[in-house]
Amino acid sequence: MHRIAALLGILALALFAIAADFPKGADDNWHHWRGPNADGSAPKADPPTKWDANTNIAWKAELPGKGSATPVVWGDRVFVLTAIKTDRIAKPEELPKPDPKFKVSTEPPSNFYKFVVLCFDRTSGKKLWEKVAAEMVPHEGIHESHSYAAGSPTTDGKLLFASFGSFGTYCYDFDGNLKWSRTDLGRLNTRLGWGEAVTPVVSGDSLLLNFDQEADSRLLCLDTSSGKTKWEAKRDEKTTWATPLVVDHGGKMQVVMNGTTRVRSYDLATGDLVWQCAGMTVNPIPSPVRLGDSVISVSGYRGAAAISIPLSAKGDLGEKGKVNWRYASGTPYVPSPVLVGESLYFTQTNDSLLTILNAKTGKVVLDKERLPQVRSFYASPITAAGRVYFVDRSGITIVVKSGESLDVLSVNKLDDPIDASPVAVGKQLFLRSTKYLYCIEGK
C-alpha cells in the first residue's frame, strides 16, 4: 500500500506539472493528438473494451478524401482533417516547380487537392460544418501509406488550430469561422518526397510547428490570437515527423523536440536552446513523453534507441553525457510510446512485439512479447482505466490490462484500415479509419 501511495503521489506531481501548460478542462477532453497529458493517457476516460461492426457503435460518420490525422475532441465537438483529391487538373503554368536539389522517390500529382477541416457533433455524429482551408496542387508526392492530411489538429478549448504544412496553417473558432491563416511559411521538402505531418502544439498563447525537412529545418512559434511569428529556431536536422512536447520545469517552459542529430530542448519564451542530447536513429517519428523531472525520447528506424533525459540538463550532452538511462532494443518507428504510471509501453518498429520498461530506471519489465492477432501499427497506443489500447493498421484493436505481464482483455475487429491514433473521452472511444469516423460507446 505504501508503494502504491508513493506512486500515486509521484504521478500526481508529474501530471500537475504537465497539466499546468494545457488548456483548462483538458482532462475531460482530448485536445491534442496524444491526449490531455501528451503521453497517450486519458486519466478520466473509461471507454468500452469490446466492439465490432455491429456492437457498441454509437455512430459512424463517412469521411471524404483521405487522411490519417487523429481527431481531437472538446465538449460536444469532434474535429478531424482530410485531403480530397479533386477532378481539377492543373494547367502547366499552375504546376509547382520541383527543386532539383532534393532526391525524391514519389511522383507529385497534377490534380488539385482540397485541404479540409470537419466538425462533428459528439453525441449524434452529425456533421456540423466543413471548411476548405486551401485548394492547391501538392509539390511532391507521398509514401504509399501516407496522406496529405497526416498532421492532427489541436485546440485550446476556444480556438481550433490546423496545419497542412506546406499548404498553410489555419485557426478557426468552434463554429468554423476563420480567425487567421498563415500560407507564407514556405513549402517543405521531405525525405524522398514521402510527405508531411505537421501537428501543431498549443501552450498558452503560443502555437508550435515542427518544420523539419531536408534543408532549412526550423521550429516555429506563432501567436495563437493573431498567427504572427514570435520566433523561429533553426535546426540542424533532416526530415522528422515528430510533434513537440511542452513541459514546465522549475518555472521555465521547455519545448522538447526529437531529432536524428540531437533531441533538443528550447526555451518556449525565446526559442533559445536549453540542452541537447545525441543518440536517436534516423527518421524520428515518435514524440517525446514526460515522467516527473525527465523526458523520454525514442526512435526505431534502422536501429533502436530510447533515452531518458533530465529536464535539468544544460548544454550538449552528446552521446556520453549524463542521462538517466539509455536502452537500445525493440523501439518503435512510427508509433509513439505510451506511459502507464511509471511503465513505458512501446512496440518494435511497426510490428506487434511489445516491450515494457520501468520508465524511471530503464529496466525491462516485459521484453518483446508478441501481441496476438495483430501485425502492424502506425497508430500510437493509448491508456485509460487501467487498460492499454493498440490499434492495428487492418482495423483490429487489442485491449490489454496494464501490468507486468501480457493480459489480453479483448480483440476487436473492424473491417476498415486505421492509421490514426485512438481517442478516449468519457465513456467513448473514437477511431478514425480510411472511410469513417467511429464513435464506440457501451450501452
Side-chain angles (χ1 to χ4, degrees), residues 258-260 279-287 297-306 327-337 346-351:
N258 205 349
T260 299
M280 290 291 103
T281 70
V282 296
N283 285 13
I285 297 177
S287 298
S297 191
V298 308
S299 59
Y301 181 69
R302 296 183 179 176
Y327 186 75
S329 180
T331 51
Y333 175 29
V334 174
S336 296
F346 53 81
T347 48
Q348 178 172 279
T349 57
N350 298 330
D351 298 331

Side-chain angles (χ1 to χ4, degrees), residues 50-165:
K50 294 183 179 181
W51 65 89
D52 59 31
N54 301 307
T55 307
N56 285 341
I57 305 295
W59 54 261
K60 70 176 184 178
E62 188 170 2
L63 297 175
K66 183 180 180 182
S68 51
T70 297
V72 294
V73 179
W74 195 277
D76 60 356
R77 306 204 169 196
V78 185
F79 304 98
V80 67
L81 309 185
T82 192
I84 303 171
K85 183 179 180 180
T86 74
D87 294 330
R88 180 183 169 197
I89 306 296
K91 299 174 183 177
E93 63 270 20
E94 294 175 317
L95 290 170
K97 291 183 173 62
D99 191 326
K101 295 196 303 287
F102 302 106
K103 179 183 178 181
V104 297
S105 61
T106 61
E107 188 73 24
S110 55
N111 296 68
F112 278 81
Y113 276 74
K114 290 181 179 180
F115 299 90
V116 176
V117 183
L118 299 159
C119 176
F120 295 91
D121 181 85
R122 178 179 160 189
T123 303
S124 66
K126 177 184 177 183
K127 185 169 69 175
L128 299 178
W129 50 262
E130 176 179 335
K131 301 294 178 178
V132 177
E135 187 169 346
M136 301 172 68
V137 182
H139 60 281
E140 63 182 14
I142 49 175
H143 190 276
E144 60 183 4
S145 64
H146 202 42
S147 74
Y148 288 113
S152 305
T154 192
T155 178
D156 62 2
K158 297 177 182 178
L159 297 171
L160 179 75
F161 307 96
S163 182
F164 294 98

Side-chain angles (χ1 to χ4, degrees), residues 213-260:
Q213 52 183 311
E214 291 305 279
D216 302 319
S217 293
R218 56 206 166 113
L219 174 64
L220 290 159
C221 182
L222 310 183
D223 180 83
T224 55
S225 61
S226 66
K228 292 181 179 179
T229 301
K230 288 185 170 187
W231 52 260
E232 66 174 62
K234 302 295 185 183
R235 285 172 52 76
D236 177 23
E237 293 291 344
K238 298 292 188 181
T239 306
T240 72
W241 295 270
T243 304
L245 172 69
V246 182
V247 295
D248 180 2
H249 178 70
K252 176 178 282 190
M253 305 294 289
Q254 297 186 34
V255 184
V256 182
M257 278 288 303
N258 205 349
T260 299

